[in-house]
């Protein structure tokens, strides 16, 4: 038997102020300690509720409960990936990719600029609350851009996520108000390509 653990908010590998001016200290702190924490708490609470119902053998709305569970776990996993995809500008963040991820992007999209354009459009056109992600499909050996609605739909379950951007309004509203395009532009200055490359190498094993 594996030890049962709770979901936990991961620590960031940089300080809250380190991604400024692209993401302000206030914005990052709020996003991490309030929004991400809420998904962690939500997932743990729903699992407790399920435990209780099973122990008492009482009825529970399975459809609604599992939908909420998937939403919260999805939020926790995506935010955990997102924080690692970021690094302070000039200290691991920004610039163009190198290594295997650079080759994979050039093979699939023709150029980094073309990839950046398509990924930006995917992030721009995610309706309401969502994400854009670059994933790797092991079956075809191709990187693929996905749009994720809220936290839990349209994901190809077998494709490993290499890179994500959160375009929920809570990710940028303090810094950019309703101007999502400005936030996406700023994101390219703090993308940590080493992390995306590391994930691709793991996916290709
Ligand atoms: Mn978020």
């Amino acid at each position: 038997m594996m030890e049962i653990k709770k979901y936990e908010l991961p620590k960031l590998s940089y300080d809250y102020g380190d991604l400024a001016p692209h993401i302000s200290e206030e914005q990052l702190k709020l996003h991490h300690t309030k929004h991400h924490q809420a998904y962690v708490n939500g997932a743990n609470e729903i699992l407790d509720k399920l435990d209780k119902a099973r122990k008492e053998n009482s009825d529970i709305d399975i459809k609604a409960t599992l939908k909420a569970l998937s939403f919260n776990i999805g939020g926790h996993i995506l935010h955990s990936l997102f924080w690692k995809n970021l690094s302070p500008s000039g200290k691991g963040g920004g610039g163009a990719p190198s290594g295997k991820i650079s080759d994979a992007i050039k093979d699939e999209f023709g150029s980094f600029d073309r990839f950046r354009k398509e990924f930006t459009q995917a992030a721009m056109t995610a309706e309401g609350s969502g994400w854009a992600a670059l994933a790797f499909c092991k079956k075809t050996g191709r990187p693929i851009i996905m749009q994720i609605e809220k936290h839990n739909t349209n994901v190809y379950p077998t494709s490993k996520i290499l890179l994500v951007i959160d375009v929920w309004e809570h990710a940028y509203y303090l810094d950019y108000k309703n101007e999502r395009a400005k936030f996406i532009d700023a994101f390219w200055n703090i993308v940590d390509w080493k992390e995306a490359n590391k994930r691709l190498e793991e996916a290709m094993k």
Side-chain angles (χ1 to χ4, degrees):
M1 280 282 285
M2 278 183 74
E3 184 202 349
I4 301 297
K5 288 182 270 189
K6 297 271 187 195
Y7 288 110
E8 280 176 19
L9 187 71
K11 285 206 165 63
L12 304 184
S13 60
Y14 37 81
D15 291 331
Y16 288 122
D18 286 354
L19 302 182
H22 309 293
I23 299 176
S24 69
E25 180 172 355
E26 190 188 9
Q27 175 71 77
L28 183 60
K29 199 170 181 181
L30 185 75
H31 197 178
H32 182 246
T33 63
K34 299 294 178 191
H35 293 280
H36 187 170
Q37 183 72 61
Y39 303 126
V40 170
N41 296 347
N44 288 330
E45 280 161 20
I46 294 163
L47 288 171
D48 286 346
K49 206 171 98 181
L50 278 165
D51 282 344
K52 190 167 172 277
R54 289 165 186 164
K55 213 168 157 188
E56 296 170 349
N57 200 18
S58 59
D59 283 336
I60 191 163
D61 182 342
I62 286 293
K63 186 179 177 186
T65 305
L66 297 186
K67 194 176 174 193
L69 183 62
S70 148
F71 176 81
N72 283 285
I73 293 176
H76 172 47
I77 291 171
L78 285 166
H79 283 89
S80 301
L81 290 168
F82 182 50
W83 307 133
K84 285 186 148 190
N85 275 136
L86 305 175
S87 274
S89 190
K91 292 180 195 159
S98 59
K100 283 202 169 70
I101 186 101
S102 171
D103 298 340
I105 284 173
K106 278 189 190 124
D107 287 349
E108 178 70 21
F109 300 94
S111 66
F112 175 61
D113 284 348
R114 174 75 198 190
F115 158 73
R116 189 175 144 146
K117 190 174 157 191
E118 288 189 22
F119 191 87
T120 297
Q121 284 172 349
M124 267 314 288
T125 58
E127 283 167 21
S129 300
W131 301 68
L134 178 69
F136 179 71
C137 176
K138 214 172 173 175
K139 291 194 189 300
T140 58
R142 297 177 72 152
I144 183 166
I145 296 174
M146 307 189 293
Q147 262 186 349
I148 299 171
E149 290 175 10
K150 294 190 186 137
H151 293 148
N152 51 7
T153 53
N154 295 0
V155 177
Y156 305 114
T158 59
S159 299
K160 189 179 175 80
I161 292 179
L162 310 177
L163 176 71
V164 283
I165 178 172
D166 185 347
V167 288
W168 283 54
E169 270 192 356
H170 73 219
Y172 59 85
Y173 201 81
L174 287 183
D175 291 341
Y176 301 101
K177 297 289 182 282
N178 58 323
E179 296 188 275
R180 189 190 286 183
K182 284 191 181 166
F183 170 58
I184 299 167
D185 248 2
F187 165 76
W188 295 110
N189 296 308
I190 47 174
V191 173
D192 187 324
W193 285 110
K194 263 199 192 137
E195 175 66 21
N197 195 53
K198 194 180 99 192
R199 288 186 202 161
L200 177 62
E201 286 179 355
E202 284 164 7
M204 288 169 94
K205 271 181 200 158

